[in-house]
Amino acid sequence: MNRIQLFGIGALCLLAGACGRPADPPIPDGMSRLKVELIDAPKPEVKEINVTITKVTAHSNTAGWVELFKGNQAIDLLKLKDYALPLGFANLPAGKVTQIRLYTGGQGPQNVVLPSGEVVDLKVPSGVQSGIKIKGPFKLANCQTTVVTLDFDGRKSI
């Protein structure tokens, strides 16, 4: 075999071991990637909406419950008007995600700051125990990234 044929065979072997398009980090062959991020619509009647995300999980029909994030991520939701905050990701077998859950509480704040400066506790039903439930399905295609952007609407939620 000449050098060009050897190079071609080597390149095909490299491509066979990973998904076709580059990602950071690469998606393993036969897998998909689920990313969850959070943004917020403006709520001018308050100065801050502070929550702490402690865990993000997803239920995959092929992998069961998977943890995308665990920690204490304190967030002022009003700062998310111009960009989406990544909340975690996982590589999963292709299939469907039937539900995503955001758990709140932990060591950080859970409050709203009014224009007067008064701080009012924020209660998130089921936030600590079973999480805020976002129903799917979200399709996960082989070698593709599926991004689920959660848009918090403060006007309707507080």
Side-chain angles (χ1 to χ4, degrees):
M1 281 191 208
N2 66 32
R3 288 184 184 170
I4 294 174
Q5 288 174 321
L6 285 174
F7 176 77
I9 292 171
L12 284 175
C13 289
L14 285 174
L15 288 175
C19 293
R21 74 176 202 189
D24 184 20
I27 301 170
D29 191 36
M31 302 293 277
S32 302
R33 176 161 297 141
L34 171 68
K35 288 179 146 182
V36 177
E37 55 189 29
L38 179 66
I39 61 173
D40 181 29
K43 174 97 172 125
E45 296 86 20
V46 298
K47 289 170 86 174
E48 296 176 14
I49 303 171
N50 298 303
V51 297
T52 301
I53 305 291
T54 58
K55 184 166 64 168
V56 179
T57 61
H59 185 266
S60 162
N61 70 334
T62 54
W65 283 103
V66 178
E67 194 170 270
L68 307 176
F69 167 79
K70 185 170 184 158
N72 271 310
Q73 177 72 42
I75 307 162
D76 174 359
L77 293 172
L78 292 183
K79 292 184 179 174
L80 300 180
K81 290 181 265 184
D82 299 322
Y83 72 97
L85 177 72
L87 289 180
F89 73 91
N91 293 330
L92 302 167
K96 291 180 185 173
V97 167
T98 58
Q99 190 176 108
I100 296 171
R101 292 188 180 187
L102 273 67
Y103 294 81
T104 62
Q107 303 300 317
Q110 305 282 33
N111 59 48
V112 175
V113 179
L114 302 176
S116 66
E118 180 185 358
V119 178
V120 179
D121 286 341
L122 183 63
K123 303 222 184 300
V124 182
S126 302
V128 175
Q129 296 84 11
S130 59
I132 301 164
K133 296 155 194 77
I134 298 99
K135 303 282 185 183
F138 307 101
K139 185 178 178 194
L140 302 178
N142 191 38
C143 292
Q144 299 292 315
T145 297
T146 299
V147 179
V148 177
T149 302
L150 307 174
D151 187 354
F152 175 79
D153 188 343
R155 292 184 195 279
K156 294 181 181 177
S157 302
I158 295 181

